Amino acid sequence: MSSDNNEQPPRVQLGFSLPLHKCDDGVDDAPDTSSFDGQEHNNILGHTSPNWCDWDGGKIGGLPSWLNPRDLPDGPLCCRGPCSKNIEKKDGGTPLRFIAQLYCPADDVTNNPAAFHRSVYVFACPKCCSESSQLFQHKEVDDGNDGNEIPAALLSECVRVLRCQLPKKNDFYPINGDGEEDDQWEKHTSTFWSKANKDDQLNLCAVCGQKSKGKCPKQGKWFCGPHHQKECLRASKQYQKTNPNETMPQTYLPLICYESELVVEEEPDDVPSAADNNSGNSNDTNTMNSKSLFQSNDITDADVNLEQSDLNELTGNKSLAEAATGVTDPTTLAFYARMNIGGEENDVRDQCLRYSRWSSAQKQASDEDEGKEEEEEEGALWLSSDNRPDESFPPKCQHCGAERAFEFQILPQMIHYLLNDPDSSGDNNDATDNGRHVLTESERAVLLEAKAKIESGMELPEGFQEQHDLAVASARDALLGISRKGGDKSGTSEEEGAKDGLDWGTIAVYTCTASCGDSGKYLEEAAWVQPPLD
């Protein structure tokens, strides 16, 4: 993502997963990001190329591509959430899994030349994030006292965010970044600095891509510790049973998510603001119709008058037991409607990331300068009214004391791309091939009219709310367009090569609005995890 001009109004950018296309011939002199056997793809992912003029967007899954390949964070990164509370080990909780990274310079918006190059990395706990719904209902017993619910803030500790930035002139990338020195340049790799500094820890772990602590003589690979060493050996033995004499691909490891490119585009114009979603208050039908979901002149009387038959038609044959919890929440309905905003012509339901850097902070500063009254802040598009941060979150930057503000959020759609092999499921971005149903204007009118009636407090017909729950449960997969549970993968987590489950409602990332730091260190930022609805 390119740096935005500070005077431009903040726009929401959507991130989409783009499958990798492998080259026919391997490239021996390029860093390997796709498999252990040296096979390369022709996408420039992360910082695998020193040609920073070509950097854009980011990457999903695989191993992290470090902006600063020399001064890496101490690893492995471990969970600080619920799974670590009763662990006495010094290394903390469960080792985290790399989820995604974004390239998002901030030198223009912060007047900080040290943020000319800037990348943000997100890691998630495979244990806590797969149990998040249950963890919110879990009761703990502390010294014989009454059980207390695990606080939402603790669950959010199961996700960790790192930010790294560099000035234009640095030790790792050429000044021009236009490819003139591509053939000779190696300073952007950890391998180069491992040799130059005689630091074996910069030979990255084969499982997590972080600092290693030693080389396994049996496997000939570097690892951050015995946990990943054993994991790789176990997976390799399983792979050799069915693929003798073949090199195990990196993606066969259960702890490594499938890799894809993250590309961005602007959200369609005239969409409802996040303030409507944050406030959870859309009783005014005129206000609701003024947004771009659909204009009032596009809705007939038959659309506006929500009848029981409309709900029955959407419900299909689902039973009450199949209805998901929280589907009568106006915030949830607004989330689903926002996902379907593009309609058939511009279907954006495959979005797996929403980016709107510091829009709330910029808006607040603008309003103060112009003497405007404070309005509802822009920010994350929440999945539910429950388990949202209070006014004390996010905390100020612990590194410089500046305010933090919302920068981007990871959506549940990303789970599909992390856990499902794109080579076995075809083009995941093709809605037509997947036979997915795009909601009509009438069907979206049913959802929003139901939303307005429920939150208005008016007396509802008998069975209305139950039927509405079923209608939304039936429409949910169509709204999101893909399965959130990794349903396409073959086998379960116990089977060889299968990925462990991940789950979340949304992950909102908040970063330092000063984008502090001029040393190239990896600084920790804040994230809030909202659990899934079911």
Side-chain angles (χ1 to χ4, degrees):
M1 293 182 183
S2 60
S3 182
D4 299 322
N5 188 295
N6 195 28
E7 296 179 356
Q8 294 178 344
R11 294 293 302 272
V12 176
Q13 293 178 294
L14 307 181
F16 299 88
S17 171
L18 182 66
L20 304 180
H21 301 288
K22 302 295 176 62
C23 293
D24 293 334
D25 298 322
V27 181
D28 295 333
D29 59 351
D32 177 33
T33 61
S34 59
S35 71
F36 291 158
D37 62 4
Q39 184 184 17
E40 284 292 313
H41 54 74
N42 56 12
N43 302 77
I44 297 176
L45 286 185
H47 312 298
T48 56
S49 166
N51 306 333
W52 52 264
C53 289
D54 296 329
W55 297 349
D56 195 18
K59 68 189 292 283
I60 299 170
L63 301 181
S65 178
W66 301 111
L67 177 63
N68 180 342
R70 181 187 63 199
D71 308 308
L72 299 180
D74 292 331
L77 292 173
C78 292
C79 181
R80 296 171 177 166
C83 74
S84 68
K85 287 203 67 179
N86 298 318
I87 293 179
E88 298 179 356
K89 296 180 180 179
K90 294 181 180 180
D91 57 355
T94 305
L96 299 182
R97 185 183 299 183
F98 173 70
I99 299 301
Q101 69 182 73
L102 284 169
Y103 178 64
C104 37
D107 55 322
D108 287 350
V109 297
T110 61
N111 295 319
N112 180 6
F116 182 85
H117 296 302
R118 179 176 177 271
S119 286
V120 181
Y121 301 79
V122 182
F123 301 81
C125 174
K127 183 175 181 181
C128 292
C129 284
S130 64
E131 300 174 354
S132 52
S133 292
Q134 289 76 14
L135 284 170
F136 264 81
Q137 304 300 322
H138 176 63
K139 300 288 184 178
E140 293 185 318
V141 178
D142 186 13
D143 298 330
N145 297 327
D146 293 336
N148 297 314
E149 289 189 11
I150 293 179
L154 179 59
L155 183 70
S156 292
E157 293 290 339
C158 71
V159 169
R160 294 177 65 179
V161 178
L162 300 180
R163 171 176 57 86
C164 180
Q165 58 192 41
L166 297 169
K168 185 174 184 179
K169 184 178 181 181
N170 57 76
D171 293 339
F172 315 111
Y173 304 98
I175 292 291
N176 295 328
D178 54 8
E180 292 182 359
E181 301 176 78
D182 184 41
D183 292 339
Q184 297 81 24
W185 199 271
E186 295 181 349
K187 294 181 180 180
H188 66 295
T189 67
S190 294
T191 301
F192 171 87
W193 292 102
S194 174
K195 295 177 181 178
N197 293 354
K198 297 181 180 180
D199 184 356
D200 285 342
Q201 285 191 323
L202 294 180
N203 292 298
L204 304 181
C205 175
V207 175
C208 66
Q210 299 175 42
K211 273 187 177 181
S212 66
K213 294 181 180 178
K215 186 176 183 179
C216 174
K218 185 174 183 179
Q219 301 181 71
K221 295 181 175 63
W222 296 86
F223 297 100
C224 63
H227 177 77
H228 285 169
Q229 179 185 16
K230 294 176 182 178
E231 176 66 31
C232 187
L233 181 60
R234 185 184 308 113
S236 180
K237 289 180 177 179
Q238 290 286 354
Y239 186 81
Q240 292 298 325
K241 290 180 180 179
T242 54
N243 303 275
N245 302 321
E246 291 186 15
T247 303
M248 179 182 67
Q250 185 186 78
T251 53
Y252 189 83
L253 286 165
L255 295 180
I256 298 180
C257 296
Y258 289 107
E259 187 177 46
S260 60
E261 183 180 4
L262 183 65
V263 296
V264 296
E265 64 180 50
E266 286 193 353
E267 188 177 42
D269 290 331
D270 300 322
V271 296
S273 68
D276 296 329
N277 179 268
N278 287 342
S279 64
N281 183 11
S282 302
N283 294 338
D284 188 346
T285 304
N286 292 328
T287 299
M288 183 169 62
N289 285 336
S290 70
K291 306 304 181 181
S292 69
L293 286 174
F294 43 83
Q295 302 298 324
S296 57
N297 56 6
D298 294 329
I299 305 175
T300 66
D301 292 339
D303 295 327
V304 174
N305 296 325
L306 180 67
E307 301 293 344
Q308 193 70 37
S309 58
D310 295 324
L311 292 171
N312 292 339
E313 183 176 351
L314 280 180
T315 299
N317 296 321
K318 287 185 174 289
S319 66
L320 279 173
E322 293 176 77
T325 60
V327 292
T328 55
D329 184 344
T331 301
T332 303
L333 296 178
F335 177 90
Y336 288 150
R338 188 73 171 260
M339 293 297 103
N340 203 71
I341 184 60
E344 294 184 0
E345 295 184 358
N346 190 16
D347 186 3
V348 294
R349 291 170 300 159
D350 286 336
Q351 61 183 279
C352 52
L353 180 140
R354 298 176 64 85
Y355 188 92
S356 181
R357 180 167 59 198
W358 309 333
S359 56
S360 59
Q362 293 176 16
K363 183 177 184 300
Q364 182 177 1
S366 176
D367 289 350
E368 290 176 355
D369 292 342
E370 299 178 12
K372 294 181 180 179
E373 294 183 3
E374 184 177 355
E375 298 177 4
E376 187 72 29
E377 288 188 353
E378 298 284 339
L381 184 67
W382 297 110
L383 180 62
S384 168
S385 296
D386 298 327
N387 303 311
R388 288 164 55 174
D390 59 24
E391 295 179 354
S392 65
F393 191 89
K396 290 185 177 181
C397 176
Q398 69 268 35
H399 312 293
C400 72
E403 298 289 339
R404 278 194 176 101
F406 172 80
E407 181 162 355
F408 64 90
Q409 70 185 104
I410 292 176
L411 300 173
Q413 290 94 311
M414 187 178 287
I415 300 171
H416 172 85
Y417 302 105
L418 290 168
L419 301 185
N420 291 279
D421 186 354
D423 294 333
S424 63
S425 58
D427 186 354
N428 292 328
N429 288 45
D430 193 333
T432 303
D433 291 345
N434 289 337
R436 297 187 290 124
H437 169 60
V438 178
L439 296 186
T440 65
E441 295 292 333
S442 177
E443 288 171 326
R444 281 161 47 204
V446 168
L447 286 174
L448 289 190
E449 180 68 11
K451 169 181 178 288
K453 284 191 174 184
I454 289 172
E455 64 187 2
S456 70
M458 65 179 292
E459 185 177 352
L460 302 175
E462 183 178 356
F464 176 94
Q465 190 151 330
E466 289 79 3
Q467 288 292 331
H468 171 262
D469 289 353
L470 293 172
V472 180
S474 179
R476 179 175 53 191
D477 287 343
L479 285 164
L480 293 179
I482 54 178
S483 169
R484 293 194 301 108
K485 299 296 186 180
D488 291 343
K489 72 174 182 284
S490 60
T492 64
S493 59
E494 285 77 21
E495 292 179 338
E496 54 185 75
K499 305 296 182 188
D500 292 333
L502 289 170
D503 207 1
W504 55 71
T506 191
I507 300 173
V509 174
Y510 299 79
T511 55
C512 172
T513 54
S515 200
C516 65
D518 58 4
S519 62
K521 292 183 178 180
Y522 289 84
L523 303 180
E524 195 135 6
E525 295 287 10
W528 187 271
V529 179
Q530 192 176 53
L533 295 178
D534 53 344

